[in-house]
Amino acid sequence: QVQLQESGPGLVKPSQTLFLACTVSGASAPTAFYYWAWIRQPPGKGLEWMGVISYTGSTYYSPSLKSRTSIARDTSKNQFTLQLLSVTPEDTAVYHCAAPKTLIPGATDKNMYAYWGQGTQVTVSS
């Protein structure tokens, strides 16, 4: 059974860079064989798709976040990462990593995902 576990700082100051990692575990889950995405949910709001990286390393980002977002993968560690630049309090959210069943940029319906991490709370505050 594939499992996804997010990790990173729970508190980040405004203007800093947020860095999160998602560790993939499971006998059949080498990161080279799936798509991997980051989705977040601000308090009181719906899910927001941030971006995805393909098994070939191609990346696709939300147009509203593209200038500040970078997703990468480290197959040796079975991890993929999220970097978000110049954070503001509006970036406060629960951040989830997930594995979509297929590449559909923008997808937030959980039924479109094979695997979904439990999420990690990130608060942006001075």
Side-chain angles (χ1 to χ4, degrees), residues 5 33 41-42 51 66 76:
Q5 180 64 59
F33 295 98
Q41 186 165 23
K66 184 176 182 179
S76 67

Side-chain angles (χ1 to χ4, degrees), residues 6-7 11 17-18 21 27 34-35 39 49 70 74 83 86 92 98 106 112-114 122:
E6 304 89 347
S7 61
L11 180 64
T17 297
L18 170 65
Y34 292 93
Y35 298 110
I39 301 103
W49 184 87
S70 178
D74 186 339
Q83 181 174 278
S86 303
T92 294
M112 302 176 75
Y113 290 85
V122 175

Side-chain angles (χ1 to χ4, degrees), residues 73-92:
R73 63 190 183 127
D74 186 339
T75 56
S76 67
K77 296 181 180 179
N78 263 8
Q79 283 186 341
F80 64 108
T81 60
L82 171 72
Q83 181 174 278
L84 184 64
L85 305 176
S86 303
V87 298
T88 71
E90 286 67 40
D91 293 311
T92 294

Side-chain angles (χ1 to χ4, degrees), residues 4-91:
L4 307 181
Q5 180 64 59
E6 304 89 347
S7 61
L11 180 64
V12 184
K13 293 183 178 180
S15 80
Q16 290 186 338
T17 297
L18 170 65
F19 187 86
L20 297 175
C22 180
T23 301
V24 182
S25 60
S28 60
T31 56
F33 295 98
Y34 292 93
Y35 298 110
W36 306 99
W38 286 97
I39 301 103
R40 68 181 183 180
Q41 186 165 23
K45 297 184 179 180
L47 294 168
E48 179 183 17
W49 184 87
M50 300 183 71
V52 65
I53 187 167
S54 76
Y55 60 90
T56 62
S58 297
T59 52
Y60 307 85
Y61 299 112
S62 166
S64 64
L65 295 170
K66 184 176 182 179
S67 63
R68 298 195 293 130
T69 307
S70 178
I71 297 174
R73 63 190 183 127
D74 186 339
T75 56
S76 67
K77 296 181 180 179
N78 263 8
Q79 283 186 341
F80 64 108
T81 60
L82 171 72
Q83 181 174 278
L84 184 64
L85 305 176
S86 303
V87 298
T88 71
E90 286 67 40
D91 293 311

